[in-house]
Amino acid sequence: MKGKRPDDGTDNAKLRQLDEFRDTNDVKNLLTSNQGVKINDDQNSLKAGVRGPTLLEDFLFREKITHFDHERIPERIVHARGSGAHGYFQVYEPLTKYSKAHFLQDPSAKTPVFVRFSTVAGFRGSTDLARDVRGFAVKFYTQEGNFDIVGNNMPVFFIQDAIKFPDLIHAVKPEPHNEIPQAASAHTTFWDFISLTPESLHTVMWLMSDRAIPRSYRMMEGFGVHTFRLVDAKGVGRFVKFHWKPKLGVHSVIWDEAQQISGHDPDFHRRDLWDSIAAGAFPEWEFGIQVVEEKDEHKFNFDLLDPTKIIPEELVPVERVGKLVLNRNPDNFFAETEQVAFCVGNIVPGIDFTNDPLMQGRLFSYLDTQLIRLGGPNFQEIPINRPIVPINNNQRDGHMRMRINRGMTAYQPNSIEGNNPQQVKESEGGFVSYTEKVDGHKIRTRSESFMDHYSQATLFWNSMSDTEKKHIVKAFRFELGMVTAVSVRERMVVHLSKIKKELAQEVAEGLGLEIPTHYDGPLNLNVPADANPKDYEPRSGKLDVEKSQALSQLNTPKGDITGRKAAILVAEGFDGAAVEMMMKALKEAGAMGMIIAPREGKVPGDKGKQMVDFSFLTASSALFDAVYVPGGQKSVEMLRADPKVIHFVAEAYKHCKPIAASGEGKQLVQMAMRGPWPTDKGEAGKKDASMKDLAAEGVIVGKDGKISSDFIKAMGEHRFWMREAKTPPPV
Ligand code: HDE
């Protein structure tokens, strides 16, 4: 590499003097201290006499306990709870027309990535199923250095200026006097802040939607949120929004389920990601870009620099230009997922920032936070953060320095070591910031073009299906129902009425409120002291489109059931052939059939024994995507007699999940549904009309194992939302 010093110490393998002595024998099975001393007794501390006091001299004990005492590092102030995986990124076609970034040029090259998903508000040990935004952070280890897209699963953010971030987070985190509630926005301080910060309303609509309770990390979209810039080899810049589109579509659980999963398996999303990768069902996303020419910057009714706005896909389509595949679980959670340090400022030539004031603030925050979280300025030397290209500069020393720099100069210019390391010309890959004309007064204010706080919230509402709308109303009722200050509830209802009357009416009804015909209170206190409040009055601008297809998750792909889990309910005497057939069909479709039985261990069927995955004590229907009840007279009789089993099926019905039954199994499903049941009088192999109705609602009843293909098709639909309108079974 040009500009390298003869002895620059950038390669750690060059610790040669000591390395010559290093014992390379594998001590994998032998216990040693951190100083390499082999340990004889790790069961007893050193004492003065068998019943005497422990001695300070016990260096082995002290080393072990001291290390233990320091095992924890500060958790992330936000996004503390997370889960990560390794994988790769590959571009479909050279993106030369938009960007000169090396990793976007060669379709045959795979760029390694590490991705971390997270919730925002909860502490490190909180539940995966909180109603929350999800982080979707991607680190690309490119041949021009690390590039990070530190995004979310929602395309917009709560605030327009980074200076409000500490306020937002203080409001959503547990209340400071009693540290309640954990991992929840459903409390007074959050809604107090939101109700006085109307710029948050668009994102709040996303937060109240099903997007905030994903079925899986594998089934979430990702967004870079801000408008970034792509720069080509000629130096031409274009605005860009980044998207991740999941191959499996976007799917969610129901709030009632989310609450149950939090109790039964708070690691539900972590486990799902881990299990899928371990099983070889690698999660996959397409990389999408929305590109806007600079001349079109002011073409829309919203400001491209405003992070509370999307660019509707009807205006600028998303070009799918590459794919992201996660194919390896981390070896060690702490070393990798916990210590990974994402930074919005990690960009490479061909990508650049814009003046989005939220992004500008983030550029400071991410670097700053690692200094305390990872203990100092050398966090980029931690293996998960190390770029795959050589590092060569005059930065020196600091806590936990790993690299041993050689030579006598640590400055530039220098004549002693040939002025190395040398700067790199742009034509040879040196980073040059995008040349942008910036001209203005030094001023603390917000652009007039940022003041429309309602219209895209309305666009979001307009774009929802009826089912999604119902869920949003319920979410508002739940969240505001947990708010103790009636004035805050009222103010929110006023805001909602400016988004859409029908939404406000339904929420108000649940809260026992009327929408005020006249409201005098403040609707925005996010205003400088000397400002004219009129200038900051929240307003609704002109919509570019009335509705956007891409906003409803029901319009995203369906049909692929990779990694889905179906519960198969059995007891002694179950129909072995039917279970075998169903398990085989599920496996072929990439899904898993899990055996649930009254007891752990093995359960005997008419054709032999089956290993049990869960008992009815450890399983809950909320943890599965679908339920199958096979026949076997004795088995079904036993299951019918257990209220827990009836509850299991009834709950799956209530949650609109596919249910299948064969042979005597249908008696159990009928009992659980407690509804009218079709007469199964059709000829063998044919279903009568009412059976078809039932199948249209995702309840598949048939002969033996023949129903498996219908069941798998139904699982591909995810849920049968029409059931929500019906009176659910009383569970
Ligand atoms: Fe972050 N954010 N953020 N954020 N953020 C952090 O950095 C911050 C914002 C996002 O898996 C912190 O290393 C400010 C938007 C993700 O490690 C911290 C502002 C978006 C992650 C921080 C924002 C994000 C973080 C905490 C307002 C979506 C987790 C620990 C200007 C585009 C990354 C850390 C991981 C983490 C600051 C707003 C996404 C404190 C000041 C907008 C996915 O630096």
Side-chain angles (χ1 to χ4, degrees), residues 23 340 383 425 512 525 671:
D23 184 351
V340 66
K425 286 186 180 155
L525 286 186
M671 249 182 103

Side-chain angles (χ1 to χ4, degrees), residues 406-451:
R406 295 201 162 76
M408 72 188 273
T409 64
Y411 58 87
Q412 200 273 335
N414 72 67
S415 63
I416 294 171
E417 288 184 341
N419 206 20
N420 289 329
Q422 295 183 13
Q423 301 169 112
V424 184
K425 286 186 180 155
E426 187 180 7
S427 57
E428 289 168 14
F431 183 87
V432 174
S433 284
Y434 179 70
T435 312
E436 186 191 2
K437 184 166 185 293
V438 179
D439 191 9
H441 295 282
K442 196 197 288 179
I443 188 166
R444 261 186 213 277
T445 190
R446 222 166 275 199
S447 168
E448 163 71 27
S449 56
F450 276 42
M451 291 303 167

